[in-house]
C-alpha cells in the first residue's frame, strides 16, 4: 500500500500543485518587474482534454505494469499473461501518446497526413516511385544502369 502511495498518489498530487505554485510565483515576479516579454498565445497552449488524456494514459499503463501485476497473484500463475500485462500493456504508452496527440491536435494531424501522403520526409514532389527508386531507397544495391 505504501508503494502505491509513493509511486502514484504523491506524483499525481504533487506535480499539479507544484506547477500551480510555480506559475503563481512567476506571475507575481512578472507583475513586479512589469515586463511581458513573451505574451502567451492561448491557441498554442495544450487543452485541458489533451492533458487529461495524457494523464489517463499514464495512470492506466503505469498502474498496469507496476501495481496490477504485483497485487493480483492470478496474473503471476501464467507467465504469458504476466508478460502481456506487465510489459506490453505497461509500455503501450509509447503507442498511445502519439496517437492521442494526433487525435487531439488538428495541426499535428494535418502535418502528419501530409508527410504520410508524400511517402515520408522525402522532399520529392512525385507521389509514385519507380522500381529503381524503390531499390535505391531500400539499399538493395541493384545497379539499374
Amino acid at each position: 500500500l505504501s508503494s502505491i502511495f509513493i509511486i502514484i498518489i504523491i506524483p499525481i498530487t504533487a506535480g499539479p500543485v507544484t506547477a500551480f505554485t510555480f506559475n503563481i510565483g512567476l506571475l507575481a515576479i512578472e507583475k513586479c518587474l512589469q515586463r511581458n516579454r513573451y505574451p502567451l498565445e492561448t491557441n498554442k497552449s495544450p487543452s485541458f482534454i489533451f492533458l487529461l488524456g495524457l494523464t489517463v494514459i499514464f495512470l492506466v499503463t503505469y498502474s498496469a505494469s507496476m501495481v496490477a501485476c504485483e497485487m493480483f497473484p492470478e496474473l503471476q500463475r501464467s507467465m504469458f499473461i504476466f508478460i502481456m500485462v506487465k510489459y506490453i500493456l505497461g509500455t503501450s504508452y509509447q503507442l498511445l501518446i502519439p496517437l492521442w496527440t494526433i487525435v487531439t491536435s488538428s495541426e499535428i494531424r494535418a502535418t502528419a497526413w501530409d508527410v504520410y501522403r508524400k511517402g515520408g520526409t522525402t522532399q520529392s514532389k512525385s507521389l509514385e516511385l519507380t522500381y529503381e527508386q524503390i531499390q535505391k531507397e531500400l539499399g538493395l544495391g541493384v545497379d539499374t544502369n
Side-chain angles (χ1 to χ4, degrees):
L1 186 62
S2 64
S3 63
I4 294 173
F5 185 73
I6 291 172
I7 55 178
I8 294 180
I9 305 298
I10 290 177
I12 291 297
T13 55
V17 168
T18 305
F20 182 74
T21 305
F22 279 127
N23 194 11
I24 297 228
L26 290 174
L27 285 173
I29 292 171
E30 182 182 17
K31 293 296 179 188
C32 289
L33 296 175
Q34 295 181 355
R35 292 184 182 173
N36 194 5
R37 288 187 184 178
Y38 307 106
L40 179 64
E41 297 179 24
T42 56
N43 60 349
K44 297 286 184 180
S45 61
S47 69
F48 176 75
I49 298 295
F50 177 73
L51 295 176
L52 182 66
L54 292 180
T55 304
V56 167
I57 289 170
F58 166 76
L59 283 175
V60 169
T61 58
Y62 193 73
S63 299
S65 67
M66 294 300 288
V67 178
C69 288
E70 304 301 327
M71 291 186 67
F72 299 113
E74 304 87 39
L75 293 175
Q76 296 176 0
R77 289 190 186 130
S78 169
M79 185 59 76
F80 178 74
I81 301 285
F82 179 77
I83 288 182
M84 289 292 289
V85 171
K86 179 141 182 98
Y87 296 107
I88 295 181
L89 183 63
T91 58
S92 63
Y93 69 90
Q94 296 173 349
L95 173 69
L96 297 175
I97 286 180
L99 286 177
W100 181 250
T101 304
I102 288 172
V103 166
T104 57
S105 174
S106 60
E107 183 178 337
I108 293 175
R109 184 173 49 250
T111 304
W113 176 250
D114 287 342
V115 169
Y116 173 76
R117 191 174 48 84
K118 290 180 182 176
T121 57
T122 309
Q123 300 299 317
S124 66
K125 299 196 187 255
S126 172
L127 296 179
E128 296 183 16
L129 293 174
T130 64
Y131 183 68
E132 291 82 13
Q133 288 171 329
I134 292 172
Q135 289 178 337
K136 182 180 173 186
E137 292 291 324
L138 294 176
L140 295 176
V142 178
D143 186 18
T144 57
N145 292 334

